[in-house]
Amino acid sequence: MVLAAESGLRLDLDLFDYLILVLYFATVLGVGFAARRAIATSADFFLSGRSLPAWVTGLAFVSANLGALEILGMAANGAQYGLLTLHYYWVGAVPAMVFLGIVMMPFYYGSKVRSVPEFLRRRFNRPTHIFNAISFAVAQVLIAGVNLFALALILDALLGWELWVSILVGAAIVLTYITIGGLSSAIYNEVLQFFVILAGLIPVTIVGLVKVGGIDGLFDAVRSGPLGDAALHTWSNTGSSDNPLGANWIGILFGLGFVLSFGYWTTNFAEVQRALSAKDMSAARRTPIIAAFPKLLIPAVTVIPGLIAIVTVKGLGADEGDLTYNNAIPLLMRDLLPNGVLGVAVTGLLASFMAGMAANVSGFNTVFTYDIWQAYIRKDRDDAYYLRIGRYATIGGVVIGIGTAFIASGYGNIMEYIQQLFSLFNAPLFATFIVGMFWKRMTPWAGFWSLVLGFLASLTLYVLYLTDAVTFNSALEQSFWGAGVAFVTAVLVAVVVTFFTPSKPDDELRGLVYGLGGSSTSGEVIISGEKVWWRNPVLLGSVAVVLAVLLYIPVW
């Protein structure tokens, strides 16, 4: 069944749909005002006072990633590349989330750092710290722009507003509840938004599958369409680049599954911040592992709707206009859902973009305040001063995000844009982190130069790709290889520079490097949290990885 793609994305909402939206926005703002009562210090504003239970931080962890990248981006990828998009979940997310919980959270949480850049300062030196702090801040406002642009797309579809008006309104909503309630407001809203997002996307998937004759009917339609049978397999056509993604298994495993995935999930402070807000070490370790279980199933409401869109929306895949891949989900909502359900679906989309942007902004304001302003501009001020700066930084981050939203609007597939940002910023950071964490000889200047030259290596390959000096089968394949080049460059630079510069003494590395324990590692807390099997991070993480492997079997 092919649905006509009428001109325009305007959704025909009625009064009941608008009431659902108003109720949701009122609830979000109410959570923000309620959270404000618990804010007495900057630690309360930036890290929720490190008091939250694991189930809250776990759901917030996965919800913070359910922004434009996940909803519009993965649905766009599903429409463009088929089931190969599943690699972003089962290879490109779950193993790294488990690794973060089991291996890296004891270092993050045990060392009592307030951010990822602060960890780098203690492990390496101040130049490494400021370079990472600035690059992280830049990356967060760029990604916030993606979420804001996606939010504006939905407001445009809903109200027919101009893009710039939609961007300003969306920014104002997020700015209000983050400035008022800080990280606690963001996290509790993210838990709420997780369930609202599912309530909005599940009807799209169910109704869409009914329209195409179930999962078998969908696969038959994809098989007979332009994507072909190769789009219904995840690994069997990756021995070469003869698949819709244009990538082979080496690029998928090394570029996506290792460098991009581990680089994002283990070093991205917007995610790690949720675990750092947990009440103890055990809860912090379980946070990303709890999040891994819903992450396994999210493709059912992102990738599958993308496939439904490519076989039901005529003309989807245009370079510009309403029929770009980014609009796969809004187009399905318009064509498939009745009023009432449509209001829930629109609310779910708005919730997802607000959750994603809130994660970016809360990460930005923490790093800007602690790692840039307090560390280099205004030292030794009272705590109330830094709390005030954090609120100013929130406003500044949203304002800059408004500008970067227009950059994101220039991409037909925002996933390609996001992956390029990850290959530039996260891949060299992960290389520096992993070598520095497991090799105590790595020197402070090796950390700095591996970060800088890894970034430049990825940027060089991207420029060569844009100028056609180097060719790839797709922009996503280029980002996989860009991440690989950045990682290898950073590792080699770390090794070479280490042999020519002095290392830190062991006493300064305790609690920061594997094998050099310290009183800050909270070993007793880790042990006490693992006595009950269902709270054991290693067992829970192993189950999540095994499930990821088993889910591949039907679509191998």
Side-chain angles (χ1 to χ4, degrees):
M1 175 181 179
V2 176
L3 301 172
E6 301 170 6
S7 178
L9 272 173
R10 184 69 179 269
L11 303 178
D12 185 21
L13 272 71
D14 63 13
L15 179 61
F16 184 68
D17 296 318
Y18 281 104
L19 287 175
I20 294 173
L21 282 171
V22 170
L23 176 63
Y24 169 71
F25 288 130
T27 303
V28 165
L29 294 176
V31 170
F33 282 103
R36 182 171 187 167
R37 294 199 299 267
I39 296 176
T41 67
S42 63
D44 294 332
F45 185 80
F46 295 119
L47 293 172
S48 298
R50 289 186 167 172
S51 60
L52 302 179
W55 72 269
V56 170
T57 55
L59 289 179
F61 190 98
V62 70
S63 182
N65 186 247
L66 278 175
L69 167 64
E70 192 83 3
I71 307 303
L72 293 191
M74 290 301 183
N77 269 7
Q80 191 170 358
Y81 303 115
L83 294 185
L84 287 145
T85 309
L86 294 173
H87 292 311
Y88 286 95
Y89 296 88
W90 300 340
V91 160
V94 171
M97 295 165 76
V98 170
F99 182 82
L100 171 63
I102 294 174
V103 177
M104 296 187 72
M105 280 315 302
F107 293 97
Y108 283 138
Y109 198 89
S111 62
K112 301 300 180 185
V113 296
R114 300 170 297 184
S115 68
V116 170
E118 184 178 345
F119 184 92
L120 288 176
R121 177 182 62 77
R122 294 177 58 181
R123 173 59 182 89
F124 298 112
N125 56 17
R126 292 174 73 84
T128 309
H129 173 239
I130 189 61
F131 180 82
N132 178 244
I134 292 174
S135 62
F136 173 82
V138 170
Q140 289 312 294
V141 293
L142 288 172
I143 298 171
V146 173
N147 284 294
L148 191 52
F149 166 63
L151 178 60
L153 282 180
I154 303 307
L155 290 176
D156 174 52
L158 171 63
L159 301 173
W161 291 355
E162 294 290 334
L163 182 66
W164 68 271
V165 176
S166 301
I167 286 174
L168 289 176
V169 171
I173 295 169
V174 175
L175 175 63
T176 301
Y177 78 80
I178 296 294
T179 305
I180 292 171
L183 184 63
S184 292
S185 174
I187 286 180
Y188 281 113
N189 269 315
E190 284 162 1
V191 174
L192 167 67
Q193 287 158 347
F194 174 77
F195 295 104
V196 173
I197 290 164
L198 292 183
L201 293 180
I202 287 173
V204 176
T205 304
I206 293 175
V207 176
L209 285 174
V210 170
K211 290 287 186 181
V212 297
I215 196 70
D216 291 334
L218 174 63
F219 282 10
D220 288 341
V222 172
R223 193 174 288 113
S224 60
L227 285 176
D229 185 68
L232 300 176
H233 301 282
T234 52
W235 290 107
S236 60
N237 296 306
T238 58
S240 64
S241 297
D242 186 21
N243 55 73
L245 189 59
N248 61 37
W249 65 270
I250 298 175
I252 293 171
L253 280 178
F254 179 67
L256 172 63
F258 181 59
V259 180
L260 280 173
S261 170
F262 279 68
Y264 175 79
W265 291 104
T266 66
T267 64
N268 181 15
F269 181 59
E271 296 291 341
V272 174
Q273 187 181 28
R274 272 73 194 147
L276 288 178
S277 68
K279 64 181 181 179
D280 55 37
M281 175 71 82
S282 176
R285 297 184 76 196
R286 283 182 283 124
T287 292
I289 298 173
I290 290 172
F293 287 93
K295 189 72 173 176
L296 288 166
L297 302 178
I298 293 297
V301 293
T302 55
V303 180
I304 295 301
L307 285 175
I308 294 171
I310 198 63
V311 301
T312 60
V313 179
K314 186 177 181 180
L316 184 66
D319 292 332
E320 58 184 6
D322 294 327
L323 292 174
T324 63
Y325 289 116
N326 285 336
N327 288 331
I329 290 283
L331 285 165
L332 284 182
M333 288 166 45
R334 183 201 66 187
D335 291 336
L336 298 177
L337 298 184
N339 291 111
V341 179
L342 185 59
V344 174
V346 171
T347 303
L349 276 184
L350 294 179
S352 73
F353 307 145
M354 290 169 65
M357 185 178 181
N360 302 135
V361 172
S362 60
F364 170 84
N365 65 22
T366 303
V367 167
F368 178 85
T369 303
Y370 283 149
D371 296 293
I372 298 176
W373 195 267
Q374 184 182 34
Y376 298 98
I377 300 174
R378 290 288 186 272
K379 302 178 182 179
D380 303 321
R381 295 293 186 94
D382 61 82
D383 190 73
Y385 171 80
Y386 295 115
L387 175 58
R388 188 165 62 252
I389 291 298
R391 288 198 163 103
Y392 293 156
T394 302
I395 297 171
V398 171
V399 170
I400 297 171
I402 291 172
T404 62
F406 291 97
I407 299 176
S409 67
Y411 285 77
N413 185 335
I414 55 177
M415 186 65 180
E416 295 176 351
Y417 174 54
I418 287 285
Q419 288 300 312
Q420 186 54 53
L421 292 177
F422 289 165
S423 72
L424 287 170
F425 295 108
N426 293 86
L429 176 59
F430 173 61
T432 303
F433 242 98
I434 206 69
V435 176
M437 187 173 284
F438 289 97
W439 188 33
K440 69 177 184 178
R441 281 194 59 194
M442 185 177 175
T443 66
W445 284 108
F448 174 75
W449 287 112
S450 63
L451 266 185
V452 173
L453 295 180
F455 167 80
L456 291 176
S458 181
L459 180 62
T460 300
L461 185 64
Y462 182 55
V463 172
L464 291 174
Y465 169 68
L466 291 179
T467 57
D468 294 325
V470 177
T471 59
F472 294 94
N473 292 303
S474 68
L476 286 178
E477 187 193 21
Q478 185 279 320
S479 68
F480 295 168
W481 286 105
V485 168
F487 181 87
V488 171
T489 300
V491 170
L492 291 176
V493 169
V495 172
V496 171
V497 174
T498 292
F499 286 112
F500 295 95
T501 53
S503 302
K504 278 189 170 184
D506 287 0
D507 287 344
E508 295 183 24
L509 298 176
R510 296 198 181 279
L512 302 173
V513 177
Y514 190 79
L516 291 178
S519 59
S520 62
T521 54
S522 305
E524 293 181 1
V525 176
I526 299 175
I527 294 172
S528 65
E530 295 177 355
K531 289 181 179 178
V532 182
W533 68 267
W534 50 267
R535 292 171 59 187
N536 187 306
V538 176
L539 178 60
L540 291 174
S542 299
V543 171
V545 172
V546 169
L547 288 175
V549 173
L550 293 177
L551 285 170
Y552 266 124
I553 294 175
V555 290
W556 189 271

